[in-house]
Amino acid sequence: MKKGILERLDAGEVVIGDGGYVMQLERRGYVKAGHWTPEAAVEHPDAVRQLHKEFLRAGADVLETFTFYSSDDKLEISGNVTSITGEQINEAACDLAREVANEGNALVAGSVSQTPCYANSRNEEEVKAIFKKQLDFFMKKDVDFLIAEFFSYVEEAVWAVQVLKTSGMPVAATLCISPEGDLNGVSPGDCAVRLVKAGAQIIGINCHLDPLTCVRTVKLMKKGLEDAHLKAHLMVQPLGFHTPECNHEGYLSLPEFPFALECRAMTRWDMQKYAREAYNAGIRYIGGCCGFEPYHIRALAEELAPERGFLPPASQKHGLWGSALATHFKPCVRAKSKREYWENLRPASGRPLCPSMATPED
Amino acid sequence: MKKGILERLDAGEVVIGDGGYVMQLERRGYVKAGHWTPEAAVEHPDAVRQLHKEFLRAGADVLETFTFYSSDDKLEISGNVTSITGEQINEAACDLAREVANEGNALVAGSVSQTPCYANSRNEEEVKAIFKKQLDFFMKKDVDFLIAEFFSYVEEAVWAVQVLKTSGMPVAATLCISPEGDLNGVSPGDCAVRLVKAGAQIIGINCHLDPLTCVRTVKLMKKGLEDAHLKAHLMVQPLGFHTPECNHEGYLSLPEFPFALECRAMTRWDMQKYAREAYNAGIRYIGGCCGFEPYHIRALAEELAPERGFLPPASQKHGLWGSALATHFKPCVRAKSKREYWENLRPASGRPLCPSMATPED
Amino acid sequence: MKKGILERLDAGEVVIGDGGYVMQLERRGYVKAGHWTPEAAVEHPDAVRQLHKEFLRAGADVLETFTFYSSDDKLEISGNVTSITGEQINEAACDLAREVANEGNALVAGSVSQTPCYANSRNEEEVKAIFKKQLDFFMKKDVDFLIAEFFSYVEEAVWAVQVLKTSGMPVAATLCISPEGDLNGVSPGDCAVRLVKAGAQIIGINCHLDPLTCVRTVKLMKKGLEDAHLKAHLMVQPLGFHTPECNHEGYLSLPEFPFALECRAMTRWDMQKYAREAYNAGIRYIGGCCGFEPYHIRALAEELAPERGFLPPASQKHGLWGSALATHFKPCVRAKSKREYWENLRPASGRPLCPSMATPED
Amino acid sequence: MKKGILERLDAGEVVIGDGGYVMQLERRGYVKAGHWTPEAAVEHPDAVRQLHKEFLRAGADVLETFTFYSSDDKLEISGNVTSITGEQINEAACDLAREVANEGNALVAGSVSQTPCYANSRNEEEVKAIFKKQLDFFMKKDVDFLIAEFFSYVEEAVWAVQVLKTSGMPVAATLCISPEGDLNGVSPGDCAVRLVKAGAQIIGINCHLDPLTCVRTVKLMKKGLEDAHLKAHLMVQPLGFHTPECNHEGYLSLPEFPFALECRAMTRWDMQKYAREAYNAGIRYIGGCCGFEPYHIRALAEELAPERGFLPPASQKHGLWGSALATHFKPCVRAKSKREYWENLRPASGRPLCPSMATPED
C-alpha cells in the first residue's frame, strides 16, 4: 500500500511531479496545437502510456491523468473530437495513469483545469457542474488525489476546489498567474488564502511562466498564508521555457508561442538550479508543465537526490553533471565532465539574426 | 509488396527519412550520453518501438534499425553494456524496426557507422570484419536496404560500402563532414566519387552540421559526381540544431555539446525551409539526425506534400502553417494562423545574458 | 538682452540642454577617467571651448560651466590636480562658457554637484561651505542661473539649493536617482517636494540611467508635486547609453562602466524618441549627460523643431531622418533616406560572442 | 628637422596614423553625411584644427590633410558646396594640418581618394587630371608625403600613385577592399604588386572593414609581395566598428550604415588587441579610419609604447588598463583597475530586442 500524497508531504518528503503532456505529445504527433485536447488517451494509448512511463522512470512520484481540457464544454468548443466522448477520454486517461503508476511508487492525480464556461458565463452553478462531472469519472476510476490546475482566476479555482473536496480526497490547487496576481488583480497572497479556505491542502503555481518566476509567486503565496496564520503544502509546476520578459499573460503573449519556443527551452542544468531554488523556498511538491520533458524531471530528481535519498531509474542512463563524458575521445569534450563546466556555461543560440528578448503582446 | 528504395528513387519519388534516435532516447531516459549505445533495443523495446512509430506517423518512409554504435568494438569500449551482446542488440533492433515498418509503407534500413577500430588501427581487414558481422545480423533479419552513415573519413565509408555491397542489397552511404571535406581533407566531390565507385547507389551527408550547411555539402558532392560523369541518388540527414559557427568538427566542437544544445534547436518552420532547399538541390532522400524529433520529420513531409501527393498521418494533429490557431480565444494568437507570420518570425531566446554564437574548439 | 531661463520656461518654450562634458573630453584626451575632474578648463581651454561650441551649434540653449567635481574637497581627493586651484578651474570654466554662449542665444549655468564631504561626514555646515565657495565664483563671473546636479541623496541636493538660492538667481536641481528613489529610499515624489520647498524652480533627473527611465522618474516627481499642490518646471538630462538592466546604482553598477560602454551608445533616432517622450511628459528643459555627444543634442533640437519653430545651426549639415542619403550611388543606401527606415531599424552590435544584457553589481 | 616617413619606417619605427575625420566631424556638426565633403576646413577651421590636435595628442605621427572627397568632380556632384572652391578647401586643409603638426613631431600627408570620375568613365586621362590638380595644391603647400587611399579598384589607385609619384615625394597607397580582393576581383596579393610596381613605397588597407579583417587583407598583400620578390612598408587604417558579417562591400552594405553604427563601435581594449595583431603581422604604419576617435588612437600608442619607447601626451589623462580606477569609492569599480578585467570583458549592448548580426545587402 503506497503512502498517500499528504502522508508524504506531512513527513517532509520531496514529491517530484511529472512534466508537460500536451506540448510533448503535440511534438510526438498526437495532440493538436490550438486545441490541446487529450483525445490521444483513447486514440493512441501507447503514446500516452509511453510518456507516463518516461516520467515515472525520470523520478515522478505523481502521474497526472491526461485529462487537460477534457471537460465537455471545452471538447465541444474545440470541435476536433467528434466520435469520442469526454467520458471515454477521462476514463481511458485514468486507466493509463493507473497502469503505469502501478509499475512504481507513483500516485495518480485526477486533474481538472479552467473551463471556457467560466470565461464566458461566470456562472458558478454551471462551472461546478462541469467539474462535478469530471470528478465522477475520477471517483469511479479511483485516483489517489485531485489537482485543480491552470486557473487564471482564483474564483474559478475556488469553485473547483469546493467541488473536488466533496470527494473526501486530498486536493491540490495551482494557478497559472504571475507575481502580480490573477487576471482580476487578486494578489498571490490573497489567492493562497482563498484556496486554502476553500479546502485545498496543497497550493501553488503551474504553467505560463518560467521556473524562477513561478517560485517567486509561490513565495508570495506562502507569505500570504503566513500573514493569515494558515498552513498548506506548497507546489510548483512551471514552464520549461525561459520567459523573462513576460507579463501577467505569460507565454501566451510571446511572439514565439506556440510553434517557435524551441530556443527558450531550458537545459537540465537550468532545472537543477530551479529544483534547488524551489526546495529552498520551502516548496516540497516540485514538478513541471509545458516544456518539461522526461530529462527535465530527471534533473529535478537528481538535484534533490541528497534530500530524497535515491536516484530515479533513468539516472542509470545519465552521468551526474556530465560525468559520463569523462572517457570521450575528444579532450575538449572530456573537459566537460564536471559540474563547474555546466553550471557556468552560457549557451549560445546559434541565431545571430535573432534578438534575445521579445516584445510580449499586452 | 512494398516498392524498394531504389524503385522509389528511380521513379522520382521523394523519400522522407526518419530523425535522430540516440539524442531523443537520451532525453527520454534510455540512452546514456557519452556512450550513445543502443542497448535500449533490448532493455526497453517499448521506448524504441514508440519512437519508431512516431517517425512513421510523422511521414518517414524509412526506419533505420536502432543499431548506432552497436559494433562489438564500440560496445566493448563504452563499457556500459555488460550483460547483453551486440548480436542481441542488432537483432532486437531489426525486429523493432520491422514490426513498426509493417504498420505502414516504410522500409527498414540496416545501419552501420564509424568504428573505434578504424580510428585506432586504420586496419582494413579488421574494420571490414566488424562491418561483416553486423551485415550478417541484417541479412538474417531481412532488412530492405543498408546505410553506412556517420563517417568522418571517406576511406572507412568506402570499406563499409564494399562489405555491405556483398549482400546484394541497395546501399546508401553518408558522411558527417563539412563543405571543407573529410578529416583527411578529401573534398566532398572526391568523397562522392569514391563512394559511388565503391558501389553506393545513394550518397550524401548526415549529422554534425545544420541542415543548410549539409545541403551545401551535398551540392558539392553532386558537382563532383557530375564532373566525373557518375550518377547516384542524393541523401541528407542533418542535425536539427543551428550550428552557423561550426568548423569541420561539427557540433562536437561546440561548448554546448551535448547537454546544452536546447536553444539551438530548430523550429518546424526552419525544417520546412530546409526541406525545400534540399529538394531544390536535387536531393530526394531527405531526413534528419540528432535533434530531429517527430514533429521535425512531419514538417518535412508537410513541406513536400505537394510533390508527394499526400500528408502524413501525424498531420491529422497539425494545422498547416499554424492554421489551427485560427479559433484561439486571444486575438494575438489568432493572428498567427498563417504562413507569413511563422516564416518571418525571428524567435527570441529569452536568454539576454547569453551570446548568440560560441567559439568552437579547434 | 537674452531672456532668462525662467522667462523662457514660463513662456512655454522648450529649452534644449547641453550634453556630457567629462566623458566626451575623456575620449578627446583631456579628462582622466576615475577622477573625472575638470582641470582641462585651465590646461586645455581650446578643447573645452570647442565642445561648448559644438553643443551650442547643435541647439543647446544652455551651456553648463565645466565645473563638475571641481569642489575643493573633490579636487584634493582625486589627487591629479596639483598645480591648479579650484578657483582657477571654476573661473576659467565660467569664462569659457560665457565666451561661447555669447556667440548665440544660450545662457550660462553655473553647476555644482555631489561632494565627497557629504558622503563622508553628512555635515551640513561643511557641505554648505563647499557649495558657498563655488557659488562665490559663479557670482563673481556672472552666470545666468545655477544648477545643482548629480545628487544621489536628496538631502545633499536640498542643502545645495539652499546655498544657491542665497544668490537670488534661478536654481535648477537634478538628482541621479532611479524610479525607486534616492539612495536613502526617499521616493521621487518626495524628493521633488523637498527640492521645491527648498526653493528650486526647476527640478528633475540627470545621469545614471537611460533616457526613458529618467523620464519615468521625472513623471513620478511631477506626480509628487501635483499631490502636494506644488509647481515647478521639469528638467531631464539622462545618460546617452542603454541601461535597461540597471538598478538604483545606475550605470556605475554595469560591468562595462566606464571603458566599454560603446555598444550601449544611443543613436540619433533613439534620441528623437526620447525627446518626444520627454516633451509628452510635460518636461520642457530637455538635455543630456554622459554619452550625449553634439549630434545627440542636435537630434533633440530636430525632433522638437516643430514646437520650437527653428532648427539648430548644425542641422545645416544634417538631412532630417536621413534625407541626405537620397542621392547616394548605392540603391540600398538611398533606400534609407526616410524616417520609416530609421525608426524601425533594430541595429546589430556585430558582437555575436557578447550578451545583450549584463548582470549589474548590487 | 623632422625625420621623413620613409626614414622612420626604414629605421623600424612604429608610425601611428590618425583616425577618421569625416564621421567624427559629422557627429560634431560640421560634415554632412551622404556627402562627406570637407568644406569645414574653410567654414569651421577651429573644429578641424581641434580634431587634428586631439589626434596629435593621442599619439598620431601623421596628420592627414582633411581633403577627403575634395576633388572637383566630387564636390560638384555632392552639390552641397557652392560658394567655396576645391582649391580653397585643399589649401585650407593643408594649412590646418601643418599648423597642428608643427606643435609636435608629426608629419603632414596630403591625401587623395577615389573619384566619381573613375566610377563613371574609367578614363585614365581625366582621372589623372583630377589627381594632378590636388597634387598641385599639396606641392604648393609643402606637405611631407602623399597618401592615395580609399580605392575600391586597384586600377584607379595605380593611376593615383603614378600621378603622385611625379612629385618626388614618398607615396603611400591603401585600398578599401576585403580579403576577397578589389571590386574587379583582383586579389590582395596582386593589388599589392601593382601598387608597388606603380611606385608606392607604403601599401595597405583602409576603411570599409574592421581591424582584424583589414590586417588579414594586409597579410595577403604582404604574401603577394613576397611571392613577387618585391618590398614595401605595410600600412593599415581600418574602421573602428565591428563588421564580422560584412562582405566585400564593407560597412556600406550594413543596415546600420551610416546612422546607427553606434553599437558596433570598438572599445579601447579592442584597439589594443588590433594594434598588437597589426604589429605582429609586420605592419608598421598603424592608424584608423571612420569610427576611430582620439582615444582609439591613444590605445594604439599605448599598446605599442614598449616598442616605441614612449607614451603619447594624452596618456597623461589615462591610466593604462584602467589603473586610474584603483581609488574609486565603489569596490566593484576598483576591481576593474587591471588588464585582466578589460581584456576578458564581453560588453553587453543593453539592446535585448536587437540581433547581434545583420544581413548585409549584396
Side-chain angles (χ1 to χ4, degrees):
Chain A
M1 178 71 185
K2 292 174 191 170
K3 286 205 286 187
I5 187 68
L6 294 179
E7 284 174 277
R8 297 180 191 208
L9 291 168
D10 289 343
E13 291 180 23
V14 174
V15 171
I16 301 292
D18 51 3
Y21 288 89
V22 290
M23 276 224 164
Q24 186 59 19
L25 287 171
E26 194 277 335
R27 292 186 175 183
R28 296 186 183 190
Y30 303 100
V31 164
K32 191 162 192 172
H35 302 294
W36 308 113
T37 48
E39 62 277 12
V42 174
E43 293 176 350
H44 297 282
D46 284 357
V48 178
R49 182 187 296 111
Q50 178 60 28
L51 186 52
H52 276 315
K53 287 171 76 165
E54 293 169 14
F55 284 133
L56 179 72
R57 179 170 163 78
D61 295 313
V62 176
L63 296 179
E64 288 196 44
T65 56
F66 181 52
T67 52
F68 184 75
Y69 271 170
S70 67
S71 64
D72 281 357
D73 66 328
K74 178 66 189 174
L75 290 173
E76 191 177 329
I77 284 173
S78 88
N80 70 325
V81 183
T82 48
S83 55
I84 312 172
T85 65
E87 180 171 4
Q88 288 175 297
I89 293 172
N90 279 277
E91 294 192 6
C94 289
D95 288 342
L96 286 166
R98 173 59 65 203
E99 175 190 340
V100 178
N102 285 353
E103 295 174 11
N105 190 34
L107 301 172
V108 172
S111 157
V112 302
S113 45
Q114 61 177 243
T115 62
C117 178
Y118 176 81
N120 297 330
S121 75
R122 259 43 171 189
N123 184 306
E124 181 172 350
E125 199 175 339
E126 291 175 21
V127 171
K128 284 187 164 176
I130 289 169
F131 294 136
K132 180 64 172 59
K133 190 164 178 189
Q134 282 191 274
L135 175 59
D136 290 342
F137 302 136
F138 297 143
M139 294 192 70
K140 177 173 167 194
K141 287 294 181 177
D142 196 23
V143 302
D144 296 310
F145 70 102
L146 300 162
I147 301 178
E149 69 180 1
F150 195 65
F151 288 94
S152 297
Y153 298 92
V154 69
E155 180 181 57
E156 188 183 10
V158 163
W159 294 349
V161 170
Q162 288 168 341
V163 171
L164 299 182
K165 283 300 289 182
T166 64
S167 69
M169 283 189 275
V171 172
T174 55
L175 308 177
C176 53
I177 65 171
S178 81
E180 294 174 48
D182 87 349
L183 290 192
N184 276 331
V186 183
S187 75
D190 287 349
C191 288
V193 168
R194 293 196 202 179
L195 291 171
V196 172
K197 286 189 173 167
Q201 292 107 329
I202 307 166
I203 61 157
I205 295 293
N206 84 313
C207 204
H208 268 205
L209 288 156
D210 60 25
L212 299 188
T213 304
C214 288
V215 167
R216 196 148 48 92
T217 313
V218 175
K219 283 183 180 176
L220 295 171
M221 298 178 93
K222 184 185 179 189
K223 180 68 167 45
L225 293 184
E226 287 168 359
D227 290 350
H229 306 291
L230 292 172
K231 284 204 167 181
H233 295 292
L234 301 174
M235 172 172 176
V236 66
Q237 307 226 93
L239 286 189
F241 300 111
H242 288 281
T243 63
E245 70 272 62
C246 279
N247 52 34
H248 63 282
E249 295 274 359
Y251 77 148
L252 292 181
S253 65
L254 286 176
E256 293 83 12
F257 176 84
F259 294 130
L261 290 162
E262 278 81 354
C263 64
R264 293 177 177 270
M266 303 182 81
T267 67
R268 57 196 76 194
W269 322 115
D270 290 331
M271 291 311 180
Q272 294 206 216
K273 187 176 173 198
Y274 147 58
R276 186 53 54 196
E277 289 282 325
Y279 184 85
N280 288 345
I283 305 170
R284 291 295 176 269
Y285 188 141
I286 301 170
C289 197
C290 303
F292 270 73
E293 302 185 27
Y295 75 108
H296 293 122
I297 297 298
R298 177 174 63 192
L300 307 183
E302 289 185 349
E303 174 66 27
L304 297 171
E307 285 76 13
R308 285 159 56 87
F310 58 93
L311 284 167
S315 293
Q316 293 159 8
K317 299 290 176 185
H318 192 235
L320 298 183
W321 292 108
S323 59
L325 304 177
T327 59
H328 199 275
F329 70 95
K330 278 180 73 91
C332 74
V333 176
R334 281 204 298 281
K336 300 175 179 180
S337 59
K338 53 175 191 248
R339 175 171 181 158
E340 187 188 18
Y341 180 84
W342 295 107
E343 269 193 338
N344 294 308
L345 180 67
R346 294 259 163 95
S349 68
R351 290 172 165 94
L353 299 178
C354 292
S356 64
M357 300 275 257
T359 305
E361 297 278 337
D362 286 328
Chain B
M1 179 71 185
K2 294 173 191 171
K3 285 205 287 186
I5 186 69
L6 294 180
E7 285 174 277
R8 297 181 191 208
L9 292 168
D10 289 341
E13 291 181 22
V14 174
V15 171
I16 300 291
D18 52 2
Y21 288 89
V22 291
M23 275 224 163
Q24 185 59 19
L25 288 171
E26 195 277 334
R27 292 186 175 183
R28 296 186 184 190
Y30 302 102
V31 164
K32 191 163 192 171
H35 302 294
W36 308 113
T37 47
E39 62 276 13
V42 174
E43 293 176 351
H44 298 282
D46 284 357
V48 178
R49 182 186 296 112
Q50 178 60 30
L51 186 52
H52 276 316
K53 288 170 74 164
E54 293 169 14
F55 284 133
L56 179 72
R57 179 171 163 79
D61 295 312
V62 176
L63 296 180
E64 288 195 45
T65 55
F66 182 51
T67 53
F68 184 74
Y69 271 172
S70 67
S71 64
D72 280 359
D73 66 328
K74 177 66 189 176
L75 290 172
E76 192 177 327
I77 284 174
S78 89
N80 71 325
V81 182
T82 49
S83 55
I84 313 173
T85 65
E87 181 173 2
Q88 287 175 298
I89 293 173
N90 279 277
E91 293 192 6
C94 288
D95 289 342
L96 286 164
R98 172 60 63 203
E99 175 190 340
V100 178
N102 286 353
E103 296 175 11
N105 190 35
L107 301 171
V108 172
S111 157
V112 303
S113 45
Q114 61 176 244
T115 62
C117 179
Y118 177 81
N120 297 330
S121 75
R122 262 35 174 197
N123 185 305
E124 181 172 348
E125 199 175 338
E126 290 176 23
V127 171
K128 283 188 164 176
I130 290 169
F131 294 136
K132 179 64 172 59
K133 190 163 177 188
Q134 283 190 274
L135 175 60
D136 290 341
F137 302 138
F138 297 143
M139 294 191 71
K140 176 174 166 194
K141 286 295 182 180
D142 196 25
V143 301
D144 296 310
F145 70 104
L146 300 163
I147 301 178
E149 69 179 1
F150 196 63
F151 288 93
S152 297
Y153 297 92
V154 69
E155 179 180 58
E156 188 183 10
V158 162
W159 294 349
V161 170
Q162 289 168 341
V163 172
L164 298 183
K165 283 299 291 182
T166 64
S167 69
M169 283 188 275
V171 173
T174 54
L175 308 177
C176 53
I177 66 171
S178 81
E180 295 174 47
D182 88 347
L183 290 191
N184 275 332
V186 183
S187 74
D190 287 350
C191 289
V193 168
R194 294 195 203 179
L195 291 171
V196 172
K197 287 188 174 167
Q201 292 106 329
I202 307 165
I203 61 157
I205 295 294
N206 83 313
C207 205
H208 268 203
L209 288 156
D210 59 26
L212 299 189
T213 304
C214 288
V215 168
R216 197 147 47 92
T217 312
V218 175
K219 282 182 181 177
L220 295 172
M221 298 179 92
K222 183 186 180 189
K223 180 69 168 43
L225 292 185
E226 288 168 359
D227 290 349
H229 306 292
L230 292 172
K231 284 206 167 180
H233 295 292
L234 301 174
M235 170 173 177
V236 66
Q237 306 225 92
L239 286 188
F241 301 110
H242 289 281
T243 62
E245 71 273 62
C246 279
N247 51 35
H248 62 282
E249 295 275 358
Y251 78 150
L252 293 181
S253 65
L254 286 176
E256 293 81 14
F257 175 85
F259 294 130
L261 290 162
E262 278 81 354
C263 63
R264 292 177 178 271
M266 301 182 82
T267 67
R268 57 195 76 193
W269 321 116
D270 291 330
M271 292 311 181
Q272 293 206 217
K273 187 176 173 197
Y274 146 59
R276 185 54 54 195
E277 290 280 326
Y279 184 85
N280 287 344
I283 305 170
R284 290 296 177 269
Y285 188 141
I286 301 170
C289 197
C290 304
F292 269 75
E293 301 186 26
Y295 75 107
H296 293 122
I297 297 299
R298 177 174 61 193
L300 306 183
E302 289 185 349
E303 175 65 28
L304 297 171
E307 284 76 13
R308 285 159 55 86
F310 58 93
L311 284 167
S315 293
Q316 293 159 7
K317 299 291 176 182
H318 191 235
L320 297 183
W321 291 107
S323 59
L325 303 178
T327 59
H328 199 277
F329 70 95
K330 277 180 75 91
C332 75
V333 176
R334 280 204 297 279
K336 300 175 180 182
S337 58
K338 55 175 188 246
R339 176 171 182 157
E340 187 186 19
Y341 180 84
W342 295 106
E343 269 193 337
N344 294 308
L345 180 67
R346 293 260 163 95
S349 69
R351 290 172 163 93
L353 299 178
C354 292
S356 64
M357 300 275 258
T359 305
E361 297 277 338
D362 289 327
Chain C
M1 179 72 184
K2 292 173 191 172
K3 286 205 286 185
I5 186 69
L6 293 180
E7 285 174 277
R8 298 180 190 207
L9 291 168
D10 289 342
E13 291 180 22
V14 174
V15 171
I16 301 291
D18 51 4
Y21 289 88
V22 291
M23 277 224 163
Q24 185 59 20
L25 287 171
E26 195 277 334
R27 292 186 174 182
R28 297 187 184 190
Y30 303 101
V31 164
K32 191 162 193 171
H35 301 293
W36 308 112
T37 48
E39 63 276 11
V42 174
E43 293 176 352
H44 298 282
D46 283 356
V48 177
R49 182 186 297 111
Q50 178 60 29
L51 186 52
H52 276 315
K53 287 171 75 165
E54 293 169 14
F55 284 134
L56 179 72
R57 178 170 164 79
D61 295 312
V62 176
L63 297 179
E64 288 196 45
T65 56
F66 181 51
T67 52
F68 183 74
Y69 270 172
S70 66
S71 64
D72 281 358
D73 65 329
K74 178 64 189 175
L75 290 172
E76 191 177 329
I77 284 174
S78 87
N80 71 326
V81 182
T82 49
S83 56
I84 311 172
T85 65
E87 181 172 1
Q88 288 176 298
I89 293 173
N90 279 277
E91 294 192 7
C94 289
D95 288 342
L96 286 165
R98 172 59 63 202
E99 175 190 340
V100 178
N102 285 353
E103 296 175 10
N105 190 35
L107 301 173
V108 172
S111 157
V112 303
S113 45
Q114 62 177 242
T115 62
C117 179
Y118 177 81
N120 297 331
S121 75
R122 265 26 176 203
N123 185 305
E124 181 173 349
E125 198 174 340
E126 290 176 21
V127 171
K128 284 187 163 177
I130 290 169
F131 294 136
K132 180 63 172 60
K133 192 164 175 188
Q134 282 190 275
L135 175 59
D136 289 343
F137 302 137
F138 297 143
M139 295 193 69
K140 176 175 166 193
K141 288 294 182 179
D142 196 25
V143 301
D144 296 311
F145 71 103
L146 300 163
I147 301 178
E149 70 179 0
F150 195 64
F151 289 93
S152 298
Y153 297 92
V154 69
E155 181 181 56
E156 188 183 11
V158 162
W159 295 349
V161 170
Q162 289 168 342
V163 171
L164 298 182
K165 284 299 290 182
T166 64
S167 69
M169 283 189 276
V171 172
T174 54
L175 308 177
C176 54
I177 66 171
S178 81
E180 294 174 47
D182 87 349
L183 290 191
N184 276 331
V186 183
S187 75
D190 287 350
C191 288
V193 167
R194 292 196 204 178
L195 291 171
V196 172
K197 287 190 173 168
Q201 292 106 328
I202 307 165
I203 62 157
I205 294 294
N206 83 313
C207 205
H208 268 204
L209 287 155
D210 60 26
L212 299 188
T213 304
C214 288
V215 168
R216 196 148 47 93
T217 312
V218 175
K219 283 182 181 176
L220 295 172
M221 297 178 92
K222 183 185 180 189
K223 179 69 166 46
L225 292 185
E226 288 168 359
D227 291 348
H229 306 292
L230 292 173
K231 285 206 167 178
H233 295 292
L234 301 173
M235 171 174 177
V236 65
Q237 306 226 92
L239 286 188
F241 301 111
H242 288 282
T243 63
E245 70 273 61
C246 279
N247 51 35
H248 62 282
E249 294 274 358
Y251 77 149
L252 293 181
S253 65
L254 286 176
E256 293 82 13
F257 176 85
F259 294 130
L261 291 162
E262 278 81 355
C263 63
R264 293 177 176 271
M266 302 183 81
T267 67
R268 57 196 76 193
W269 321 116
D270 291 330
M271 291 311 179
Q272 293 205 218
K273 187 176 174 198
Y274 146 59
R276 186 54 52 195
E277 290 281 325
Y279 183 84
N280 288 344
I283 305 170
R284 290 295 177 270
Y285 188 140
I286 301 171
C289 196
C290 304
F292 269 74
E293 301 186 26
Y295 74 109
H296 293 121
I297 296 299
R298 178 175 61 193
L300 307 183
E302 289 184 349
E303 175 67 27
L304 297 170
E307 284 77 13
R308 286 158 55 86
F310 58 93
L311 284 167
S315 294
Q316 293 159 6
K317 298 291 176 182
H318 193 235
L320 298 184
W321 291 107
S323 58
L325 303 178
T327 59
H328 199 276
F329 70 95
K330 278 179 75 89
C332 75
V333 176
R334 279 204 298 279
K336 300 175 179 180
S337 60
K338 54 176 189 246
R339 176 172 182 156
E340 187 186 19
Y341 180 85
W342 295 106
E343 269 192 337
N344 293 307
L345 181 67
R346 293 260 163 95
S349 68
R351 291 172 164 93
L353 299 177
C354 291
S356 64
M357 299 274 259
T359 306
E361 297 276 337
D362 288 328
Chain D
M1 178 73 185
K2 292 173 190 172
K3 286 206 286 186
I5 187 68
L6 293 178
E7 286 174 276
R8 297 181 192 207
L9 291 168
D10 289 342
E13 290 181 22
V14 174
V15 171
I16 300 292
D18 51 2
Y21 288 88
V22 290
M23 275 223 164
Q24 186 59 18
L25 288 171
E26 195 277 335
R27 292 186 175 182
R28 296 187 184 190
Y30 302 101
V31 165
K32 191 163 192 171
H35 302 293
W36 308 113
T37 47
E39 63 276 13
V42 174
E43 293 176 350
H44 298 282
D46 284 356
V48 178
R49 183 187 296 110
Q50 178 59 30
L51 186 52
H52 276 315
K53 288 170 75 165
E54 292 168 16
F55 284 133
L56 179 72
R57 179 171 163 79
D61 294 313
V62 175
L63 296 180
E64 288 195 44
T65 55
F66 181 51
T67 52
F68 183 75
Y69 272 171
S70 66
S71 64
D72 280 357
D73 65 328
K74 178 66 189 175
L75 290 172
E76 191 177 328
I77 284 174
S78 89
N80 71 326
V81 183
T82 48
S83 54
I84 312 173
T85 65
E87 180 172 3
Q88 287 175 298
I89 293 172
N90 279 278
E91 294 192 7
C94 289
D95 289 342
L96 287 165
R98 172 60 63 204
E99 175 190 340
V100 178
N102 285 353
E103 295 175 11
N105 190 36
L107 302 172
V108 172
S111 157
V112 302
S113 43
Q114 61 176 241
T115 62
C117 179
Y118 176 80
N120 296 331
S121 74
R122 259 43 170 190
N123 185 307
E124 182 172 350
E125 198 175 340
E126 290 176 22
V127 171
K128 284 187 165 177
I130 291 170
F131 294 137
K132 180 63 172 59
K133 190 163 177 189
Q134 282 191 277
L135 175 60
D136 289 342
F137 302 137
F138 296 145
M139 294 191 71
K140 175 174 167 194
K141 286 296 182 178
D142 196 24
V143 301
D144 296 310
F145 69 104
L146 300 162
I147 301 179
E149 69 179 1
F150 195 64
F151 289 94
S152 297
Y153 297 91
V154 69
E155 180 180 58
E156 188 183 11
V158 163
W159 295 349
V161 170
Q162 289 168 340
V163 171
L164 300 182
K165 283 299 289 181
T166 64
S167 69
M169 283 189 275
V171 173
T174 54
L175 307 177
C176 53
I177 65 171
S178 82
E180 294 174 47
D182 87 348
L183 289 192
N184 275 331
V186 183
S187 75
D190 287 349
C191 289
V193 168
R194 293 196 203 180
L195 292 171
V196 172
K197 287 189 173 167
Q201 293 106 329
I202 308 166
I203 61 156
I205 295 293
N206 82 314
C207 205
H208 269 205
L209 288 156
D210 60 25
L212 298 188
T213 303
C214 288
V215 168
R216 197 147 48 89
T217 312
V218 175
K219 283 181 180 177
L220 295 172
M221 297 178 93
K222 183 185 179 189
K223 179 70 166 47
L225 293 185
E226 286 168 1
D227 291 349
H229 306 292
L230 292 172
K231 284 205 167 181
H233 295 291
L234 301 173
M235 171 173 177
V236 65
Q237 306 225 92
L239 285 189
F241 301 111
H242 289 281
T243 63
E245 70 273 62
C246 279
N247 51 35
H248 62 282
E249 295 274 358
Y251 77 149
L252 292 181
S253 65
L254 286 176
E256 293 81 13
F257 177 83
F259 294 130
L261 290 162
E262 278 80 354
C263 63
R264 292 178 177 269
M266 302 183 82
T267 67
R268 57 196 76 194
W269 322 115
D270 291 330
M271 291 311 179
Q272 294 207 216
K273 186 176 174 199
Y274 147 59
R276 186 53 55 195
E277 290 282 325
Y279 183 85
N280 288 343
I283 305 170
R284 289 297 176 269
Y285 188 139
I286 301 171
C289 197
C290 303
F292 269 73
E293 301 185 27
Y295 73 109
H296 293 122
I297 297 299
R298 177 174 63 192
L300 306 182
E302 290 185 349
E303 175 65 28
L304 297 171
E307 284 77 13
R308 287 159 54 85
F310 58 94
L311 284 167
S315 292
Q316 292 159 7
K317 297 293 176 182
H318 192 235
L320 298 183
W321 292 108
S323 59
L325 303 177
T327 59
H328 199 275
F329 70 96
K330 278 180 73 90
C332 75
V333 176
R334 280 204 298 280
K336 300 175 179 180
S337 59
K338 55 176 189 245
R339 175 170 181 158
E340 186 188 19
Y341 179 85
W342 295 107
E343 269 192 336
N344 294 306
L345 180 67
R346 293 260 164 94
S349 69
R351 290 172 165 93
L353 299 178
C354 292
S356 64
M357 300 274 258
T359 305
E361 296 278 338
D362 288 327

